[in-house]
Amino acid sequence: MKLKSQINNVIKNAFIRAGIEHEPMSVSEATKPEFGDYQFNGAMALSKKLGKNPREIAQNILDNLDLTGVLIKAEIAGPGFINLWLNPLWIGAQCQTALEDERLSVSTRENPIRVVVDYSGPNMAKQMHVGHLRSTIIGDTLANLLTFLGDEVIRQNHIGDWGTQFGMLIAYLEMKDEDGSVSLKDLEQFYKDAKGEFDANADFANKAREYVVKIQSGDAHCLNLWQKFIDISLGHCEEVYEKLNVNLTRDDVRAESFYNDDLPKVVEALATKGTLQESNGAQCVFLEGDEVPVIVQKGDGGYLYATTDLAALWYRAQKLGAKRISYVVDARQGEHFKQVFRVAKEAGFVPEDVKLEHIAFGTMMDKGGKPFKTRDGGTVKLIGLLDEAVVKAKETINNKEDYSPEQVDELAKIIGIGAVKYADLAINRESNYIFNWDKMLSFEGNTSLYMQYGYARIQSIFRKYNAPIEGEIIIGDALEHRLATMLLRFEDVLNRAAVDASPNQITTYLYELVTLFMRFYEQNPILKGGIDEEVKMSRLQLANLTAKTIKQGLDILGIKVVDKL
RNA sequence: GCGCUUGUGGCUCAAUUGGAUAGAGCAUCAGACUUCGGAUCUGAGGGUUAGAGGUUCGAGUCCUCUCAGGCGUACCA
């Protein structure tokens, strides 16, 4: 439920009754329990406009505030804050409603839009490395989130499958290909070997260059080799997606090569608009205020990635009809996207009302704060990292004897992968973050395991109870009040996270929720003796709604839960 | 050089986008168990938010400068 809007409505009505002719600003969550559940800070902002003392304005609002439904109490504090307390009866009823709803009372958008989320984007010439992790899981989370909120999401995996290196690779594939896929098991090694051959063997190098031209001109033999190479390479990526529990399929692939035919059209269109200029032999767009131009065609006639991105923007806005296009790409490419977005809008490839955004993220660092590399300075392969996570997760499982070997493996997968994903998503995406196995596989603090533990603990209650639950949710004390309020905030949090494209708002929320539940559970027994039946029923339902909310939240992050840890 | 970006307790991160006394976890110290799963909970110490100015009723957040780090700076993606 949109809790904030509900409270805002109450404030708005008070404004009308008080005769204040301004749109009230939104309430915010109280910073401390003593200050109530929510607070309204608008009186201070209004004081200048109305030429009145803020406390006077606050009093006027307070006098006109309806305290019979959503709210039960309001107080003025400090320079003119209005502290608001939610009505426990109302909260209880709302939690009840949420519990009965599959979507936990999270509404779907009234005006859904079509959104393109561009993420992952591996290079087919090489194996996926840790640099692809963040784009893949942040993008996937954003796509999941928007889908859940009711937008029409089109996932786009803009894989790098075009360019000069493929001439070399397919020439080498042809040379080495006795029976195909075997030699491609390790793409990294294959690339190195091909490069070695390229440097050592002049005939081979010539052939490689020749093959570049041949692919681009549509030579059937070379295209066939190329296709084979891409299929295998993409297969490796899919293995990673599968492990990561990421919702990317072959249908979501729109490779660089897909836009190949459109590249001349992009340049032509820019030329027609008159925005194109020749500079040092290259075709460029000079943007006002920018020193460096956007180069769309090289001196030798070749196209660049800016050209491809422009073609992709064109396609996504015009053909796919997207109203929001989100690029989940490394922060280092900020300037590139700023420029490309400007060109696309100024040239009319993308209509004015389409929102273009670069969802930038920072770099993954090692313990020493340096970019994450292997000992010899190479890139860390993603698949290896994920396998290691599963191995390490297995070590953390306490009572292995309670499970079959298959169950242990399954559990290790869920825990290990979940830990890696959660640790990444829990951090403000724009900052760099330090990768630390011990921290992410800990049960303490804001980690996936703490959430999993909280969830499993609640499931354990229901395994023990295992009988029908009847009755109402009755908010009995301050802790239950806070827990219930937190549960009702779920939709607000999701909406905010969707606007900002920041998964860490979801993780922060889940962490607060689970912490609150643990405290509640510690203080308020459920199945112990001497508990009134009514109270027991109410607490069981609060626990149930908590579990469902954890599960739904983690599901959006692409993290699975288990009933038993 | 120019541009972008970051700087918050010993460490790793938050801070509802300008709101009240800057919050968590780890680590340290002190508590709570015949465990509804203690993989938990309660409490304590620890901060001039890199520094200096400014705007504002109110600044970690906005502006200016300084210092320190990271990244980018036209025919790779």
Side-chain angles (χ1 to χ4, degrees):
Chain A
M1 73 161 322
K2 294 188 174 70
L3 183 53
K4 252 186 205 179
S5 310
Q6 299 276 340
I7 304 167
N8 284 334
N9 277 340
V10 179
I11 300 278
K12 196 176 176 183
N13 287 334
F15 264 57
I16 292 167
R17 269 192 294 255
I20 303 171
E21 290 177 358
H22 281 276
E23 272 297 303
M25 61 184 280
S26 174
V27 295
S28 54
E29 284 104 47
T31 49
K32 281 175 192 191
E34 308 93 87
F35 297 155
D37 300 310
Y38 278 78
Q39 56 177 264
F40 178 73
N41 305 329
M44 277 92 75
L46 275 173
S47 92
K48 203 162 244 178
K49 284 179 190 165
L50 300 179
K52 278 186 189 165
N53 173 326
R55 281 193 74 107
E56 215 175 288
I57 297 167
Q59 189 60 52
N60 190 16
I61 297 166
L62 200 64
D63 291 341
N64 289 285
L65 210 54
D66 177 10
L67 296 177
T68 61
V70 178
L71 299 174
I72 196 167
K73 189 173 115 183
E75 271 175 15
I76 300 176
F81 297 101
I82 303 178
N83 293 336
L84 306 165
W85 279 262
L86 294 168
N87 183 349
L89 288 175
W90 185 80
I91 297 179
Q94 296 305 317
C95 283
Q96 194 102 39
T97 308
L99 193 52
E100 282 156 17
D101 179 19
E102 258 186 17
R103 295 180 53 86
L104 310 174
S105 285
V106 176
S107 49
T108 51
R109 293 206 200 285
E110 282 170 34
N111 304 304
I113 55 169
R114 192 170 290 179
V115 187
V116 163
V117 182
D118 177 310
Y119 67 105
S120 196
N123 186 335
M124 292 297 108
K126 296 187 177 173
Q127 224 148 308
M128 286 181 85
H129 54 84
V130 288
H132 295 108
L133 179 67
R134 301 205 79 185
S135 174
T136 304
I137 64 181
I138 294 170
D140 198 54
T141 296
L142 181 62
N144 292 345
L145 175 59
L146 295 177
T147 303
F148 183 67
L149 292 176
D151 281 332
E152 192 187 333
V153 175
I154 304 175
R155 296 164 198 254
Q156 294 276 275
N157 193 358
H158 191 79
I159 63 171
D161 67 343
W162 210 238
T164 49
Q165 69 239 54
F166 289 97
M168 177 181 90
L169 291 167
I170 61 167
Y172 193 69
L173 179 67
E174 185 184 49
M175 195 169 108
K176 285 281 159 185
D177 188 30
E178 288 89 28
D179 71 341
S181 57
V182 185
S183 54
L184 270 176
K185 250 196 177 141
D186 185 343
L187 271 179
E188 219 62 28
Q189 194 54 47
F190 186 84
Y191 188 91
K192 271 186 203 155
D193 293 346
K195 185 82 167 68
E197 190 71 25
F198 186 87
D199 292 338
N201 182 342
D203 286 348
F204 177 77
N206 283 333
K207 192 168 194 184
R209 289 192 199 97
E210 192 184 308
Y211 274 23
V212 177
V213 180
K214 278 193 169 180
I215 311 172
Q216 308 217 349
S217 59
D219 175 87
H221 172 67
C222 286
L223 271 181
N224 200 15
L225 281 169
W226 171 78
Q227 191 60 55
K228 195 169 179 180
F229 185 93
I230 300 300
D231 277 348
I232 295 164
S233 184
L234 200 52
H236 289 211
C237 295
E238 282 164 344
E239 201 183 322
V240 171
Y241 297 151
E242 167 77 30
K243 272 192 212 267
L244 269 176
N245 191 27
V246 156
N247 295 305
L248 272 176
T249 66
R250 238 161 238 238
D251 293 340
D252 303 317
V253 171
R254 278 292 176 285
E256 281 174 11
S257 60
F258 177 82
Y259 302 103
N260 197 40
D261 294 344
D262 296 332
L263 302 182
K265 293 177 199 163
V266 168
V267 176
E268 209 175 293
L270 289 170
T272 310
K273 299 251 174 206
T275 52
L276 217 53
Q277 274 182 46
E278 194 181 309
S279 174
N280 297 329
Q283 297 298 320
C284 308
V285 178
F286 283 88
L287 290 162
E288 208 186 317
D290 280 3
E291 237 175 88
V292 292
V294 179
I295 303 179
V296 293
Q297 192 170 21
K298 295 195 280 187
D300 67 3
Y303 301 103
L304 293 118
Y305 82 125
T307 328
T308 311
D309 275 338
L310 285 169
L313 277 165
W314 195 344
Y315 174 80
R316 291 164 183 184
Q318 308 290 347
K319 291 254 174 63
L320 297 180
K323 289 291 167 207
R324 175 180 178 183
I325 307 176
S326 305
Y327 285 81
V328 187
V329 182
D330 194 288
R332 280 172 289 196
Q333 296 193 38
E335 243 138 322
H336 164 72
F337 281 111
K338 216 180 272 178
Q339 289 192 317
V340 167
F341 289 168
R342 263 183 79 184
V343 173
K345 286 237 164 151
E346 286 177 17
F349 295 166
V350 175
E352 265 312 311
D353 66 333
V354 175
K355 186 179 177 194
L356 301 179
E357 57 183 358
H358 174 206
I359 313 291
F361 54 84
T363 315
M364 188 195 273
M365 304 293 199
D366 64 17
K367 266 188 179 172
K370 303 235 167 61
F372 203 77
K373 293 266 169 71
T374 56
R375 275 189 202 86
D376 56 359
T379 53
V380 177
K381 285 175 206 155
L382 196 44
I383 199 104
L385 182 95
L386 298 179
D387 288 343
E388 193 175 349
V390 174
V391 170
K392 284 184 189 290
K394 212 169 185 174
E395 291 164 13
T396 70
I397 299 173
N398 267 345
N399 310 310
K400 290 200 187 67
E401 57 280 4
D402 295 352
Y403 305 94
S404 69
E406 292 77 26
Q407 282 174 317
V408 171
D409 285 343
E410 185 57 28
L411 203 53
K413 255 194 240 171
I414 291 174
I415 293 174
I417 301 299
V420 170
K421 292 180 80 170
Y422 192 93
D424 192 310
L425 295 169
I427 280 158
N428 182 333
R429 63 175 161 78
E430 290 185 71
S431 52
N432 296 342
Y433 84 102
I434 297 191
F435 189 90
N436 182 336
W437 285 117
D438 295 338
K439 198 186 150 197
M440 74 176 75
L441 285 166
S442 162
F443 280 87
E444 288 158 352
N446 188 7
T447 63
S448 70
L449 280 175
Y450 185 75
M451 310 305 132
Q452 301 268 18
Y453 177 69
Y455 181 82
R457 214 175 164 186
I458 296 172
Q459 296 317 307
S460 160
I461 299 171
F462 287 103
R463 268 196 300 278
K464 189 156 285 187
Y465 180 68
N466 197 23
I469 300 169
E470 284 156 358
E472 292 172 14
I473 294 179
I474 306 150
I475 306 302
D477 65 6
L479 218 39
E480 290 185 2
H481 186 101
R482 285 181 63 194
L483 178 61
T485 307
M486 186 64 85
L487 288 165
L488 294 178
R489 280 181 50 203
F490 190 47
E491 180 168 356
D492 285 343
V493 170
L494 294 183
N495 276 316
R496 185 60 176 275
V499 171
D500 297 345
S502 55
N504 79 310
Q505 292 186 26
I506 301 175
T507 59
T508 301
Y509 169 79
L510 289 176
Y511 178 56
E512 282 172 15
L513 176 65
V514 174
T515 304
L516 217 42
F517 176 79
M518 294 285 199
R519 293 174 61 187
F520 153 82
Y521 191 44
E522 200 82 18
Q523 190 176 302
N524 298 0
I526 297 179
L527 299 181
K528 282 182 178 168
I531 307 294
D532 278 357
E533 198 63 13
E534 254 188 12
V535 174
K536 187 200 273 184
M537 289 303 164
S538 171
R539 289 178 182 169
L540 277 169
Q541 292 184 87
L542 276 175
N544 196 8
L545 184 56
T546 303
K548 287 186 175 188
T549 306
I550 297 169
K551 186 175 183 179
Q552 181 61 62
L554 289 177
D555 187 59
I556 288 169
L557 302 177
I559 296 171
K560 294 178 188 165
V561 290
V562 284
D563 290 349
K564 259 173 100 175
L565 267 186

